[in-house]
Amino acid sequence: MSAARRIGALTGAGISTDSGIPDFRGPRGIWTTNPSAELLTTYDAYLGDPEVRVRSWQARRENPAWHAEPNAAHRALAELEHAGREIGIVTQNVDGLHQKAGSAPERVVEIHGTMFGVECVECPYTATMAAALERVAAGEPDPPCPRCGGVLKAATIMFGQQLNRRTVAAALAIAERSELFLAIGSSLQVEPAASLCAVAVDAGAELVIVNAEPTPYDGIAAEVIREPIGTAVPALVRTLLS
């Protein structure tokens, strides 16, 4: 493992919990404790129900990612890059913490988009999330597109939306080139992101999974680590750099 020069990493919500951002499916996850919250990330519900949109905009204002800082696991992955390893990160997260930790933006594939932008579902209009939230704070609970009047949403991929083809291609390229592929803090239940593990293994990579709960891909992993991510990932990086 320590000899691997080309490293891929797939990161899920679990890598950001130490930064104060709750995961979704864990024992204390957002959807576990409040199943109705999943509606806020479902495309058809968002488009069809103004009340869901109003709740979504309030949730965006209150998202802890606005104030979150990278933790030891984010910083450890950035350390691999700074040490000269060829590393590509595919993240299911929309919080930008990998880049904030020092990973080069061009090495991070945000397969589910980013929470820091907004887009119109009807026209090419885009803006920053901060600008849209200023409109919410000023009294527009569901701000429409200022260009065409259409529905605005976060620049994230919601359930029921197609992933961006270029983003998927970039993620596949990372998996196919990897000698070592790390799956960190992901339940590996959301496809096609989870299938990157199989793509990497089929291409000859060694798969290491770091996650508190069992995943559908544990059976093809060379190693499964159940230790806390904040200690397990830095330890892995120390091994790789030793």
Side-chain angles (χ1 to χ4, degrees):
M1 183 170 69
S2 62
R5 300 298 304 177
R6 297 191 303 276
I7 301 166
L10 171 67
T11 65
I15 199 173
S16 292
T17 56
D18 281 354
S19 295
I21 302 175
D23 63 12
F24 298 102
R25 294 182 173 85
R28 294 181 296 277
I30 294 171
W31 298 337
T32 304
T33 57
N34 181 17
S36 67
E38 192 167 350
L39 278 178
L40 306 186
T41 59
T42 302
Y43 191 59
D44 287 344
Y46 186 84
L47 291 186
D49 189 340
E51 180 55 32
V52 168
R53 295 199 295 275
V54 169
R55 289 171 56 202
S56 294
W57 285 110
Q58 289 304 314
R60 290 165 188 149
R61 293 183 70 188
E62 299 163 4
N63 194 313
W66 286 108
H67 309 291
E69 293 295 330
N71 61 56
H74 296 108
R75 294 193 296 270
L77 292 179
E79 184 181 349
L80 278 175
E81 177 186 330
H82 300 157
R85 296 297 176 95
E86 181 183 332
I87 179 170
I89 298 172
V90 181
T91 186
Q92 296 173 280
N93 300 334
V94 298
D95 54 33
L97 289 179
H98 285 296
Q99 299 92 318
K100 202 170 183 179
S103 292
E106 61 270 20
R107 291 180 179 264
V108 180
V109 176
E110 295 176 309
I111 199 165
H112 292 156
T114 174
M115 62 166 278
F116 298 107
V118 298
E119 59 193 17
C120 178
V121 304
E122 300 289 344
C123 79
Y125 175 81
T126 60
T128 66
M129 179 61 73
L133 291 180
E134 286 179 3
R135 295 175 60 190
V136 176
E140 295 182 77
D142 178 21
C145 174
R147 181 179 298 174
C148 75
V151 171
L152 290 182
K153 62 178 288 293
T156 58
I157 302 297
M158 306 178 82
F159 285 113
Q161 270 193 291
Q162 293 293 316
L163 297 182
N164 181 283
R165 291 183 180 181
R166 291 184 180 179
T167 303
V168 172
L172 285 170
I174 289 172
E176 290 168 348
R177 281 185 51 80
S178 297
E179 297 171 322
L180 173 66
F181 195 77
L182 309 174
I184 302 167
S186 174
S187 64
L188 299 180
Q189 295 181 31
V190 176
E191 301 290 359
S195 63
L196 294 173
C197 294
V199 170
V201 170
D202 288 346
E206 185 178 12
L207 173 64
V208 176
I209 295 175
V210 185
N211 197 60
E213 305 293 331
T215 81
Y217 290 87
D218 288 358
I220 65 170
E223 186 176 1
V224 176
I225 300 172
R226 299 281 186 232
E227 297 171 15
I229 291 170
T231 55
V233 175
L236 269 174
V237 169
R238 286 194 296 270
T239 298
L240 288 167
L241 296 179
S242 62

